[in-house]
Amino acid sequence: MAPHAEEPNGYTNGTTAASAGNKDLFTVESPSVTYTDDEIKSKYVYRTTSVAKNGDKYVATPKETVYDFKVERKVGKVGMMLVGWGGNNGTTVTAGIIANRRGLTWDTREGPRASNYYGSVVMGSTMKLGTEAKTGKEINIPFHDVLPMVHPNDLVIGGWDISGLNLAEAMDRAAVLEPTLKSMVKKEMAEMKPLPSVYYPDFIAANQGERANNVIEGSKASMAHVEHLRKDIRDFKQSHSLDKVIVQWTANTERYADIIPGVNDTADNLLKAIEQGHEEVSPSTVFAIACVLENAPFINGSPQNTFVPGAIEFAEKHGAFIGGDDFKSGQTKMKSALVDFMINAGIKLTSISSYNHLGNNDGMNLSSHKQFRSKEISKSNVVDDMVEANNVLYKEGEHPNHCVVIKYMPAVGDNKRALDEYYAEIFMGGHQTISMFNVCEDSLLASPLIIDLVIIAEMMTRISWKVDDGKDYKGFHSVLSILSYMLKAPLTPPGTPVVNALAKQRGALTNIFRACVGLQPESDMTLEHKLF
Ligand SMILES: NC(=O)c1ccc[n+]([C@@H]2O[C@H](COP(=O)([O-])OP(=O)(O)OC[C@H]3O[C@@H](n4cnc5c(N)ncnc54)[C@H](O)[C@@H]3O)[C@@H](O)[C@H]2O)c1
Ligand SMILES: O=P([O-])([O-])O[C@@H]1[C@@H](O)[C@H](O)[C@@H](O)[C@H](O)[C@@H]1O
């Protein structure tokens, strides 16, 4: 990537390899793919299998759909605005980007440490491009290079918090990063101050009240708070000469909003409810509406039902992107991989007990039942698709016992202890018990996901498609289910299935991006190594 020149206040000038010219790692030689300075266009044959039931048999018919994809190659200057910027995740991801941008190394008790983006699927993983013609050797490329994506070092960062601490003070409060590293980014972080935010006390734990000294005053009625946030987004975009802003909720977990016919069930009713200052409209939904109106993709990193039906309909009407819910960072990420392996190995999982304790402010907020309930839902539904897909092991409606327990233990801070037991039936009446102790440094695991969500959401704003008989290119559906790999409870377009299996989620992300440059899905068939 081209060097990321810095502006005086630590912001980059947004010059990246992609926006400074097309220094792509690879090109696709194919009559179906064309490159110009501004665009990559590809004609992609999407192959699926249509299944029809015939008595107690199935008939499977291969289907082909030809899609035209178009990718804008110029990345532009991108802003990331975090709601809850002064929290553990917000301060950690900000410090991490500053450290990477400056290539910092710092001393620790175990010796020197260098900046990196480990834990980011976009910045830390690879994908198979193909096999070398002469040797048959597998060629893998950095995930980030499959399409012209924004580099996290170039992100201009801002956001809101109900706590008025500047980012250096908030980073100290978070107690996540090494003092040596904190001292190296302190000056830049001290110049960053969260904007006042929307605060409706009833939606988060009462124990959060004492930090709420940076709130937008006045009634929430007459769209006042929506308009205030819209102006914040416009001002941020203008003051940094941004081409695009992506907004993420990494603020506290809210209680669920009741879905009330006539209040939040449709877009029109939701706008009326906001106009009236209805008590059942949450701060996160107010942010979502403001972002849709500013065409700023909005992603919910927490488990509450921000996207009530009216909010989804509103986003669809405006063709704006939304995504969520709840970062999938440690205990649940492991669960969605392990359960996928066990069930697909024909092992009948019969019980999952999932306990953790943590001592950060998130844990304190979750010590309040209504906020815990939001998290319990997102952590509990993560195995449903894998269980339902295996009717050999499970009868209709049968599923493993599954309990979720979260306890607040201040002593362990951000270093959550996850203790899980997976109990399963195996061959001839046997049992397998997998017991796991998983220390998750929660903010260091969540921060790379925040980066991935921003990079991929921004990428989706530059991808459009049409079917061959169509005239105009259009964007993907407003609900970005492509983000599911980073999320516990993936939001999907209404009426479409939820996929939680980690491997399937990554496969979808990888293969959709491959299709945008005319490449077929990654196949592990390697027939070239079997048929000769
Ligand atoms: N591994 C992880 O850390 C992880 C994984 C999944 C989900 N999450 C979710 O991410 C969120 C943030 O986690 P955290 O550890 O950074 O929590 P945190 O409590 O440290 O940070 C949340 C921040 O949000 C602020 N806030 C609360 N309400 C706000 C509002 N209406 N507007 C603006 N700011 C507001 C708080 O003042 C606080 O600074 C939580 O909801 C958590 O459940 C975290
Ligand atoms: O590790 P994970 O399950 O993906 O996610 C975490 C939970 O385990 C933890 O209980 C909660 O406090 C964090 O906010 C986060 O949701």
Side-chain angles (χ1 to χ4, degrees):
M1 302 296 285
H4 308 287
E6 289 193 11
E7 292 171 358
N9 61 353
Y11 294 112
T12 55
N13 64 11
T15 301
T16 62
S19 57
N22 301 305
K23 298 181 174 61
D24 294 332
L25 177 63
F26 70 95
T27 50
V28 176
E29 286 291 330
S30 161
S32 305
V33 183
T34 55
Y35 292 83
T36 66
D37 273 353
D38 296 326
E39 294 169 349
I40 304 171
K41 283 185 175 177
S42 66
K43 195 169 281 296
Y44 176 78
V45 182
Y46 176 54
R47 294 185 173 87
T48 55
T49 304
S50 171
V51 176
K53 208 158 156 88
N54 182 4
D56 56 359
K57 306 277 189 208
Y58 293 113
V59 177
T61 310
K63 292 282 182 194
E64 291 189 354
T65 309
V66 179
Y67 287 105
D68 291 288
F69 287 114
K70 178 169 70 175
V71 176
E72 295 167 36
R73 301 179 81 176
K74 297 209 175 339
V75 174
K77 194 173 178 184
V78 179
M80 170 175 76
M81 295 188 83
L82 300 178
V83 189
W85 193 21
N88 284 27
N89 289 348
T91 54
T92 302
V93 70
T94 302
I97 289 174
I98 292 171
N100 273 284
R101 184 184 291 150
R102 291 171 48 195
L104 297 182
T105 57
W106 59 97
D107 282 336
T108 72
R109 284 181 300 177
E110 294 85 32
R113 289 290 179 271
S115 308
N116 64 56
Y117 282 117
Y118 297 167
S120 157
V121 74
V122 173
M123 299 303 293
S125 83
T126 61
M127 78 165 69
K128 175 181 167 185
L129 179 61
T131 48
E132 199 167 35
K134 294 193 189 70
T135 63
K137 180 173 170 288
E138 187 172 290
I139 301 298
N140 292 285
I141 60 167
F143 196 101
H144 187 259
D145 287 326
V146 66
L147 290 175
M149 298 183 215
V150 66
H151 194 291
N153 289 0
D154 295 332
L155 292 173
V156 176
I157 308 170
W160 301 263
D161 203 295
I162 58 174
S163 164
L165 294 189
N166 68 49
L167 265 286
E169 296 163 333
M171 174 174 59
D172 284 337
R173 174 178 61 189
V176 172
L177 298 172
E178 292 276 351
T180 44
L181 170 57
K182 289 197 296 181
S183 65
M184 299 168 89
V185 299
K186 202 174 196 75
K187 182 174 177 298
E188 286 176 71
M189 301 270 288
E191 290 163 12
M192 299 174 180
K193 186 150 176 14
L195 295 164
S197 188
V198 175
Y199 175 53
Y200 306 154
D202 179 52
F203 278 90
I204 58 176
N207 59 38
Q208 298 299 311
E210 63 189 55
R211 68 196 279 159
N213 60 6
N214 191 40
V215 302
I216 297 170
E217 299 301 338
S219 157
K220 68 191 218 180
S222 68
M223 301 289 278
H225 289 176
V226 169
E227 292 309 319
H228 186 114
L229 298 178
R230 291 186 65 184
K231 184 177 182 307
D232 288 344
I233 295 167
R234 287 197 302 272
D235 290 351
F236 184 75
K237 195 171 180 179
Q238 188 181 12
S239 61
H240 295 288
S241 309
L242 299 174
D243 298 294
K244 222 164 285 171
V245 171
I246 315 289
V247 180
Q248 272 197 63
W249 179 277
T250 181
N252 284 118
T253 295
E254 298 173 329
R255 68 168 174 81
Y256 259 52
D258 296 334
I259 304 306
I260 308 171
V263 174
N264 50 21
D265 55 338
T266 69
D268 292 343
N269 288 337
L270 178 59
L271 284 204
K272 274 207 299 268
I274 296 174
E275 184 73 35
Q276 295 157 0
H278 195 285
E279 61 184 14
E280 208 50 25
V281 177
S282 69
S284 61
T285 298
V286 168
F287 269 97
I289 296 302
C291 290
V292 166
L293 290 169
E294 289 303 318
N295 197 26
F298 181 74
I299 299 156
N300 175 29
S302 295
Q304 72 275 348
N305 63 337
T306 299
F307 302 118
V308 293
I312 296 175
E313 186 185 36
F314 191 72
E316 290 174 322
K317 279 183 169 177
H318 287 75
F321 283 141
I322 58 175
D325 298 306
D326 207 8
F327 306 126
K328 181 160 73 172
S329 55
Q331 183 177 42
T332 307
K333 195 168 202 169
M334 180 64 74
K335 186 180 293 176
S336 66
L338 188 63
V339 170
D340 190 21
F341 134 62
M342 294 181 83
I343 291 179
N344 282 322
I347 295 171
K348 184 171 183 175
L349 196 57
T350 54
S351 158
I352 306 169
S353 59
S354 212
Y355 162 94
N356 79 60
H357 62 262
L358 71 171
N360 56 20
N361 188 59
D362 174 32
M364 188 165 84
N365 181 61
L366 292 172
S367 66
S368 162
H369 179 69
K370 284 184 176 177
Q371 285 64 39
F372 163 72
R373 183 65 191 128
S374 297
K375 189 68 74 172
E376 185 182 33
I377 291 168
S378 70
K379 287 172 71 82
S380 301
N381 297 342
V382 75
V383 303
D384 295 351
D385 61 318
M386 295 169 252
V387 169
E388 280 157 28
N390 190 320
N391 57 16
V392 171
L393 295 177
Y394 301 97
K395 295 192 289 294
E396 181 82 22
E398 183 186 7
H399 49 78
N401 305 150
H402 191 182
C403 80
V404 171
V405 175
I406 300 174
K407 292 298 178 192
Y408 175 51
M409 303 280 272
V412 301
D414 202 68
N415 302 332
K416 178 191 66 215
R417 269 84 170 134
L419 290 88
D420 291 77
E421 184 197 81
Y422 296 83
Y423 186 63
E425 292 176 18
I426 59 177
F427 190 56
M428 302 306 286
H431 285 90
Q432 181 176 14
T433 303
I434 298 173
S435 182
M436 190 181 299
F437 182 72
N438 178 3
V439 178
C440 307
E441 296 189 294
D442 259 6
S443 298
L444 296 175
L445 288 173
S447 293
L449 304 183
I450 290 174
I451 290 169
D452 285 342
L453 287 162
V454 167
I455 294 175
I456 295 166
E458 191 283 327
M459 187 68 243
M460 296 308 292
T461 68
R462 290 183 285 116
I463 297 174
S464 51
W465 66 278
K466 64 179 181 172
V467 288
D468 51 8
D469 58 355
K471 295 270 182 302
D472 300 328
Y473 283 93
K474 60 182 186 177
F476 275 61
H477 186 276
S478 287
V479 179
L480 289 176
S481 53
I482 195 173
L483 300 174
S484 64
Y485 181 86
M486 282 69 70
L487 297 160
K488 290 194 195 62
L491 193 69
T492 62
T496 63
V498 174
V499 175
N500 280 298
L502 197 63
K504 284 186 178 179
Q505 292 173 327
R506 192 184 193 281
L509 175 62
T510 305
N511 292 323
I512 288 171
F513 280 10
R514 290 170 64 88
C516 290
V517 284
L519 294 176
Q520 284 300 314
E522 265 187 347
S523 158
D524 296 317
M525 295 165 70
T526 60
L527 291 181
E528 64 274 21
H529 300 324
K530 297 178 174 70
L531 306 177
F532 61 96

